Amino acid sequence: MARGKRNRKLVPECQQALDQMKYEIAAELGVPFGQSGAAGAGDAEFAGELGSVAAAGSGSQYLGNLTSREAGAVGGGITKRLVQQAQQTLL
């Protein structure tokens, strides 16, 4: 029983912000995520620029060269940052 795509965003408008966060965290960790050629060295200070360049073609990128550890580190970084933002909002 295939139900279709299950990773739907509850707020679709947040997709661009989540993509930006994903590229920033990947750059901070030095993960070659969404980089093509000499697009950037993965420096944290260039994370914003990397995100805007990579987000333009999001969805059509091949990410099969990432290890499970790298992909998990990016996902864990996103979760950690979202939890920190929620805690700051509640305080």
Side-chain angles (χ1 to χ4, degrees), residues 36-63:
S36 59
D43 254 345
E45 65 184 333
F46 298 116
E49 295 164 10
L50 174 65
S52 63
V53 169
S58 66
S60 63
Q61 299 170 354
Y62 175 73
L63 300 175

PDB file of all heavy atoms in Angstrom, residues 36-63:
ATOM      1  N   SER A  36      29.237  22.194  -6.799  1.00  0.00           N
ATOM      2  CA  SER A  36      29.627  21.705  -8.114  1.00  0.00           C
ATOM      3  C   SER A  36      30.918  22.367  -8.527  1.00  0.00           C
ATOM      4  O   SER A  36      31.009  23.588  -8.558  1.00  0.00           O
ATOM      5  CB  SER A  36      28.529  21.991  -9.132  1.00  0.00           C
ATOM      6  OG  SER A  36      28.283  23.373  -9.201  1.00  0.00           O
ATOM      7  N   GLY A  37      31.920  21.557  -8.803  1.00  0.00           N
ATOM      8  CA  GLY A  37      33.198  22.100  -9.245  1.00  0.00           C
ATOM      9  C   GLY A  37      33.831  22.966  -8.188  1.00  0.00           C
ATOM     10  O   GLY A  37      34.063  22.548  -7.075  1.00  0.00           O
ATOM     11  N   ALA A  38      34.117  24.222  -8.529  1.00  0.00           N
ATOM     12  CA  ALA A  38      34.768  25.159  -7.614  1.00  0.00           C
ATOM     13  C   ALA A  38      33.757  26.113  -7.004  1.00  0.00           C
ATOM     14  O   ALA A  38      34.025  27.286  -6.821  1.00  0.00           O
ATOM     15  CB  ALA A  38      35.844  25.931  -8.364  1.00  0.00           C
ATOM     16  N   ALA A  39      32.572  25.623  -6.683  1.00  0.00           N
ATOM     17  CA  ALA A  39      31.532  26.494  -6.132  1.00  0.00           C
ATOM     18  C   ALA A  39      31.894  27.011  -4.760  1.00  0.00           C
ATOM     19  O   ALA A  39      31.379  28.025  -4.316  1.00  0.00           O
ATOM     20  CB  ALA A  39      30.195  25.752  -6.071  1.00  0.00           C
ATOM     21  N   GLY A  40      32.743  26.309  -4.046  1.00  0.00           N
ATOM     22  CA  GLY A  40      33.146  26.767  -2.726  1.00  0.00           C
ATOM     23  C   GLY A  40      33.904  25.696  -1.998  1.00  0.00           C
ATOM     24  O   GLY A  40      33.806  24.521  -2.313  1.00  0.00           O
ATOM     25  N   ALA A  41      34.661  26.113  -1.011  1.00  0.00           N
ATOM     26  CA  ALA A  41      35.486  25.159  -0.282  1.00  0.00           C
ATOM     27  C   ALA A  41      34.777  24.621   0.948  1.00  0.00           C
ATOM     28  O   ALA A  41      35.318  23.794   1.653  1.00  0.00           O
ATOM     29  CB  ALA A  41      36.793  25.836   0.125  1.00  0.00           C
ATOM     30  N   GLY A  42      33.554  25.086   1.236  1.00  0.00           N
ATOM     31  CA  GLY A  42      32.836  24.594   2.390  1.00  0.00           C
ATOM     32  C   GLY A  42      33.109  25.378   3.651  1.00  0.00           C
ATOM     33  O   GLY A  42      32.834  24.909   4.736  1.00  0.00           O
ATOM     34  N   ASP A  43      33.645  26.563   3.538  1.00  0.00           N
ATOM     35  CA  ASP A  43      33.900  27.406   4.698  1.00  0.00           C
ATOM     36  C   ASP A  43      32.590  27.867   5.314  1.00  0.00           C
ATOM     37  O   ASP A  43      31.633  28.159   4.608  1.00  0.00           O
ATOM     38  CB  ASP A  43      34.684  28.644   4.290  1.00  0.00           C
ATOM     39  CG  ASP A  43      36.133  28.578   4.715  1.00  0.00           C
ATOM     40  OD1 ASP A  43      36.483  27.746   5.546  1.00  0.00           O
ATOM     41  OD2 ASP A  43      36.896  29.395   4.198  1.00  0.00           O
ATOM     42  N   ALA A  44      32.545  27.946   6.633  1.00  0.00           N
ATOM     43  CA  ALA A  44      31.323  28.386   7.311  1.00  0.00           C
ATOM     44  C   ALA A  44      30.982  29.816   6.952  1.00  0.00           C
ATOM     45  O   ALA A  44      29.812  30.170   6.860  1.00  0.00           O
ATOM     46  CB  ALA A  44      31.499  28.251   8.818  1.00  0.00           C
ATOM     47  N   GLU A  45      31.985  30.667   6.724  1.00  0.00           N
ATOM     48  CA  GLU A  45      31.680  32.063   6.430  1.00  0.00           C
ATOM     49  C   GLU A  45      31.043  32.235   5.058  1.00  0.00           C
ATOM     50  O   GLU A  45      30.420  33.254   4.785  1.00  0.00           O
ATOM     51  CB  GLU A  45      32.926  32.929   6.563  1.00  0.00           C
ATOM     52  CG  GLU A  45      34.016  32.628   5.578  1.00  0.00           C
ATOM     53  CD  GLU A  45      35.259  33.461   5.817  1.00  0.00           C
ATOM     54  OE1 GLU A  45      35.123  34.566   6.370  1.00  0.00           O
ATOM     55  OE2 GLU A  45      36.347  33.005   5.476  1.00  0.00           O
ATOM     56  N   PHE A  46      31.185  31.241   4.186  1.00  0.00           N
ATOM     57  CA  PHE A  46      30.569  31.305   2.867  1.00  0.00           C
ATOM     58  C   PHE A  46      29.285  30.489   2.798  1.00  0.00           C
ATOM     59  O   PHE A  46      28.774  30.243   1.715  1.00  0.00           O
ATOM     60  CB  PHE A  46      31.539  30.813   1.798  1.00  0.00           C
ATOM     61  CG  PHE A  46      32.781  31.646   1.711  1.00  0.00           C
ATOM     62  CD1 PHE A  46      34.011  31.099   2.012  1.00  0.00           C
ATOM     63  CD2 PHE A  46      32.715  32.970   1.338  1.00  0.00           C
ATOM     64  CE1 PHE A  46      35.149  31.860   1.941  1.00  0.00           C
ATOM     65  CE2 PHE A  46      33.857  33.736   1.269  1.00  0.00           C
ATOM     66  CZ  PHE A  46      35.086  33.190   1.561  1.00  0.00           C
ATOM     67  N   ALA A  47      28.778  30.067   3.924  1.00  0.00           N
ATOM     68  CA  ALA A  47      27.612  29.189   3.942  1.00  0.00           C
ATOM     69  C   ALA A  47      26.399  29.847   3.311  1.00  0.00           C
ATOM     70  O   ALA A  47      25.653  29.201   2.587  1.00  0.00           O
ATOM     71  CB  ALA A  47      27.288  28.765   5.373  1.00  0.00           C
ATOM     72  N   GLY A  48      26.189  31.118   3.560  1.00  0.00           N
ATOM     73  CA  GLY A  48      25.050  31.807   2.971  1.00  0.00           C
ATOM     74  C   GLY A  48      25.125  31.840   1.462  1.00  0.00           C
ATOM     75  O   GLY A  48      24.147  31.585   0.763  1.00  0.00           O
ATOM     76  N   GLU A  49      26.311  32.133   0.940  1.00  0.00           N
ATOM     77  CA  GLU A  49      26.486  32.160  -0.501  1.00  0.00           C
ATOM     78  C   GLU A  49      26.339  30.770  -1.093  1.00  0.00           C
ATOM     79  O   GLU A  49      25.739  30.594  -2.135  1.00  0.00           O
ATOM     80  CB  GLU A  49      27.856  32.736  -0.845  1.00  0.00           C
ATOM     81  CG  GLU A  49      27.999  34.185  -0.441  1.00  0.00           C
ATOM     82  CD  GLU A  49      29.446  34.638  -0.409  1.00  0.00           C
ATOM     83  OE1 GLU A  49      30.314  33.886  -0.881  1.00  0.00           O
ATOM     84  OE2 GLU A  49      29.690  35.738   0.105  1.00  0.00           O
ATOM     85  N   LEU A  50      26.885  29.772  -0.425  1.00  0.00           N
ATOM     86  CA  LEU A  50      26.775  28.402  -0.893  1.00  0.00           C
ATOM     87  C   LEU A  50      25.314  27.991  -0.953  1.00  0.00           C
ATOM     88  O   LEU A  50      24.869  27.396  -1.926  1.00  0.00           O
ATOM     89  CB  LEU A  50      27.540  27.456   0.029  1.00  0.00           C
ATOM     90  CG  LEU A  50      27.401  25.969  -0.254  1.00  0.00           C
ATOM     91  CD1 LEU A  50      28.004  25.647  -1.606  1.00  0.00           C
ATOM     92  CD2 LEU A  50      28.059  25.163   0.823  1.00  0.00           C
ATOM     93  N   GLY A  51      24.560  28.334   0.076  1.00  0.00           N
ATOM     94  CA  GLY A  51      23.146  27.976   0.105  1.00  0.00           C
ATOM     95  C   GLY A  51      22.365  28.616  -1.018  1.00  0.00           C
ATOM     96  O   GLY A  51      21.540  27.982  -1.645  1.00  0.00           O
ATOM     97  N   SER A  52      22.638  29.889  -1.310  1.00  0.00           N
ATOM     98  CA  SER A  52      21.879  30.548  -2.362  1.00  0.00           C
ATOM     99  C   SER A  52      22.228  29.992  -3.728  1.00  0.00           C
ATOM    100  O   SER A  52      21.385  29.885  -4.596  1.00  0.00           O
ATOM    101  CB  SER A  52      22.111  32.060  -2.321  1.00  0.00           C
ATOM    102  OG  SER A  52      23.469  32.354  -2.580  1.00  0.00           O
ATOM    103  N   VAL A  53      23.489  29.596  -3.934  1.00  0.00           N
ATOM    104  CA  VAL A  53      23.892  29.009  -5.205  1.00  0.00           C
ATOM    105  C   VAL A  53      23.306  27.623  -5.346  1.00  0.00           C
ATOM    106  O   VAL A  53      22.740  27.267  -6.376  1.00  0.00           O
ATOM    107  CB  VAL A  53      25.441  28.946  -5.314  1.00  0.00           C
ATOM    108  CG1 VAL A  53      25.863  28.107  -6.497  1.00  0.00           C
ATOM    109  CG2 VAL A  53      26.000  30.342  -5.424  1.00  0.00           C
ATOM    110  N   ALA A  54      23.423  26.816  -4.303  1.00  0.00           N
ATOM    111  CA  ALA A  54      22.979  25.430  -4.369  1.00  0.00           C
ATOM    112  C   ALA A  54      21.460  25.325  -4.370  1.00  0.00           C
ATOM    113  O   ALA A  54      20.912  24.426  -4.986  1.00  0.00           O
ATOM    114  CB  ALA A  54      23.559  24.641  -3.203  1.00  0.00           C
ATOM    115  N   ALA A  55      20.775  26.223  -3.689  1.00  0.00           N
ATOM    116  CA  ALA A  55      19.318  26.134  -3.604  1.00  0.00           C
ATOM    117  C   ALA A  55      18.656  26.414  -4.931  1.00  0.00           C
ATOM    118  O   ALA A  55      17.537  26.001  -5.170  1.00  0.00           O
ATOM    119  CB  ALA A  55      18.791  27.093  -2.536  1.00  0.00           C
ATOM    120  N   ALA A  56      19.350  27.114  -5.822  1.00  0.00           N
ATOM    121  CA  ALA A  56      18.770  27.426  -7.115  1.00  0.00           C
ATOM    122  C   ALA A  56      18.471  26.167  -7.901  1.00  0.00           C
ATOM    123  O   ALA A  56      17.512  26.099  -8.645  1.00  0.00           O
ATOM    124  CB  ALA A  56      19.719  28.326  -7.905  1.00  0.00           C
ATOM    125  N   GLY A  57      19.278  25.128  -7.715  1.00  0.00           N
ATOM    126  CA  GLY A  57      19.050  23.880  -8.430  1.00  0.00           C
ATOM    127  C   GLY A  57      18.624  22.760  -7.516  1.00  0.00           C
ATOM    128  O   GLY A  57      18.848  21.610  -7.813  1.00  0.00           O
ATOM    129  N   SER A  58      18.056  23.084  -6.365  1.00  0.00           N
ATOM    130  CA  SER A  58      17.709  22.042  -5.401  1.00  0.00           C
ATOM    131  C   SER A  58      16.670  21.104  -5.988  1.00  0.00           C
ATOM    132  O   SER A  58      15.816  21.495  -6.756  1.00  0.00           O
ATOM    133  CB  SER A  58      17.206  22.645  -4.097  1.00  0.00           C
ATOM    134  OG  SER A  58      15.999  23.310  -4.312  1.00  0.00           O
ATOM    135  N   GLY A  59      16.757  19.872  -5.600  1.00  0.00           N
ATOM    136  CA  GLY A  59      15.842  18.870  -6.093  1.00  0.00           C
ATOM    137  C   GLY A  59      16.416  18.095  -7.266  1.00  0.00           C
ATOM    138  O   GLY A  59      16.079  16.950  -7.464  1.00  0.00           O
ATOM    139  N   SER A  60      17.286  18.705  -8.045  1.00  0.00           N
ATOM    140  CA  SER A  60      17.832  18.026  -9.205  1.00  0.00           C
ATOM    141  C   SER A  60      19.289  17.636  -8.997  1.00  0.00           C
ATOM    142  O   SER A  60      19.948  17.250  -9.932  1.00  0.00           O
ATOM    143  CB  SER A  60      17.716  18.943 -10.427  1.00  0.00           C
ATOM    144  OG  SER A  60      18.491  20.104 -10.232  1.00  0.00           O
ATOM    145  N   GLN A  61      19.784  17.749  -7.775  1.00  0.00           N
ATOM    146  CA  GLN A  61      21.176  17.439  -7.498  1.00  0.00           C
ATOM    147  C   GLN A  61      21.336  15.966  -7.185  1.00  0.00           C
ATOM    148  O   GLN A  61      20.482  15.363  -6.549  1.00  0.00           O
ATOM    149  CB  GLN A  61      21.670  18.254  -6.306  1.00  0.00           C
ATOM    150  CG  GLN A  61      21.610  19.723  -6.536  1.00  0.00           C
ATOM    151  CD  GLN A  61      21.885  20.472  -5.254  1.00  0.00           C
ATOM    152  OE1 GLN A  61      22.014  19.869  -4.202  1.00  0.00           O
ATOM    153  NE2 GLN A  61      21.964  21.770  -5.337  1.00  0.00           N
ATOM    154  N   TYR A  62      22.452  15.417  -7.618  1.00  0.00           N
ATOM    155  CA  TYR A  62      22.787  14.040  -7.280  1.00  0.00           C
ATOM    156  C   TYR A  62      23.556  14.062  -5.964  1.00  0.00           C
ATOM    157  O   TYR A  62      24.603  14.689  -5.866  1.00  0.00           O
ATOM    158  CB  TYR A  62      23.630  13.409  -8.377  1.00  0.00           C
ATOM    159  CG  TYR A  62      24.110  12.030  -8.020  1.00  0.00           C
ATOM    160  CD1 TYR A  62      23.228  10.956  -8.009  1.00  0.00           C
ATOM    161  CD2 TYR A  62      25.429  11.803  -7.673  1.00  0.00           C
ATOM    162  CE1 TYR A  62      23.653   9.694  -7.674  1.00  0.00           C
ATOM    163  CE2 TYR A  62      25.869  10.540  -7.337  1.00  0.00           C
ATOM    164  CZ  TYR A  62      24.980   9.494  -7.335  1.00  0.00           C
ATOM    165  OH  TYR A  62      25.403   8.234  -6.995  1.00  0.00           O
ATOM    166  N   LEU A  63      23.051  13.404  -4.958  1.00  0.00           N
ATOM    167  CA  LEU A  63      23.695  13.396  -3.652  1.00  0.00           C
ATOM    168  C   LEU A  63      24.136  11.997  -3.258  1.00  0.00           C
ATOM    169  O   LEU A  63      24.392  11.729  -2.095  1.00  0.00           O
ATOM    170  CB  LEU A  63      22.747  13.978  -2.599  1.00  0.00           C
ATOM    171  CG  LEU A  63      22.312  15.418  -2.849  1.00  0.00           C
ATOM    172  CD1 LEU A  63      21.283  15.850  -1.823  1.00  0.00           C
ATOM    173  CD2 LEU A  63      23.505  16.344  -2.843  1.00  0.00           C
TER     174      LEU A  63
END
